[in-house]
Amino acid sequence: MSKRPVILYCNGTGSNYEKTPETATYLKRAASYGFVCMTNTDQNTGTGASMDAGMSVLIKFNAKQGHKFYKKLNLDKVGLAGHSQGATCCINLASKGNYENSKHYKAIYACSLPTPQLAASPFQNCPYDASRVSIPALLLSGSGTTDANFICPLETSTIPAIKNIKSDVYAARMTGVEHADSIYKTHPYMIAWFDYKLCGNSAAGKAFIGKSPELKKNKNWQDYKRKIYLKKAALGKVTPAAKSFKIS
């Protein structure tokens, strides 16, 4: 059996898979596509500390001879997924300098990412800095009142994150969906995103990229946005040749 890609799922404020059994439904669906999925019982995952500890345990299991995960996990293909405060958790896990395990993370699915102001408030107490993230991200949310006006408005959450993340970013809002339902309505795109970014499935990638991505043309979605991140070019050397020169 080939090594399996991994999804770490971070839940929202005051929630976990025990309190919201629906979580197991979509993680099992992701597992049916070949992903190993991990979540935890922490009801305040925003800083990333509890999920980072869980990742450390997975690494140990993968290296422990005789364990059922022994050499079964592809630790070079780990995706971060989360809803609400869990989306904040993803940003903090991937942020440069926060955790040693960040080197394993290759893509983010952040659903209903709270504004930096809300994340830093006493209510959540898990500030984040999207400019320290340099892996591809999919930012989805709802356009209902709770997401659009309070938790993750376009102008104060999504657009700044798109601007600050130092990698490719795709974003869209599901029309009419409220904050509490956004993860349940959008999770098929989480699976497609990781199937594309971690497993190289170009068919799944058509939901996000190309001349007519599904997120852009689907009538159930609005405000599709994308940023293709280009690193600054650096001049290496100029090599002279007969009547020409070569620039690296």
Side-chain angles (χ1 to χ4, degrees), residues 46-217:
T47 65
S50 62
M51 291 304 294
D52 179 71
M55 180 63 189
S56 294
V57 171
L58 279 185
I59 293 170
K60 290 180 180 179
F61 287 166
N62 193 57
K64 186 177 180 181
Q65 192 169 2
H67 194 278
K68 62 182 178 180
F69 283 162
Y70 178 59
K71 293 187 177 180
K72 297 291 196 305
L73 308 179
N74 191 332
L75 299 178
D76 292 323
K77 294 183 178 180
V78 181
L80 302 172
H83 172 244
S84 193
Q85 186 181 150
T88 303
C89 174
C90 295
I91 299 297
N92 280 324
L93 283 170
S95 292
K96 184 177 180 180
N98 276 5
Y99 300 103
E100 184 177 351
N101 288 329
S102 65
K103 62 187 177 184
H104 296 288
Y105 308 139
K106 296 300 186 291
I108 291 172
Y109 163 79
C111 183
S112 298
L113 175 68
T115 66
Q117 293 75 22
L118 177 57
S121 70
F123 177 65
Q124 294 197 338
N125 196 27
C126 50
Y128 68 87
D129 181 358
S131 69
R132 294 167 60 197
V133 174
S134 57
I135 59 176
L138 175 64
L139 309 176
L140 300 184
S141 62
S143 70
T145 300
T146 45
D147 261 1
N149 295 338
F150 300 106
I151 308 296
C152 51
L154 276 177
E155 296 299 326
T156 54
S157 173
T158 305
I159 291 177
I162 293 172
K163 178 181 178 181
N164 290 327
I165 291 173
K166 295 179 172 62
S167 187
D168 297 350
V169 186
Y170 300 84
R173 298 195 296 175
M174 203 169 198
T175 303
V177 171
E178 295 293 344
H179 182 74
D181 297 324
S182 60
I183 182 64
Y184 308 118
K185 297 289 187 179
T186 69
H187 76 266
Y189 291 87
M190 172 190 78
I191 298 171
W193 174 248
F194 290 133
D195 203 16
Y196 168 50
K197 281 297 179 183
L198 301 182
C199 305
N201 187 336
S202 58
K206 291 180 180 179
F208 318 103
I209 64 172
K211 293 183 179 180
S212 185
E214 197 261 326
L215 273 181
K216 186 176 182 180
K217 65 182 181 181

Side-chain angles (χ1 to χ4, degrees), residues 27-47:
L27 292 185
K28 286 180 179 179
R29 186 171 298 171
S32 74
Y33 283 79
F35 296 99
V36 172
C37 301
M38 185 189 78
T39 186
N40 65 22
T41 57
D42 188 4
Q43 297 182 40
N44 292 282
T45 60
T47 65

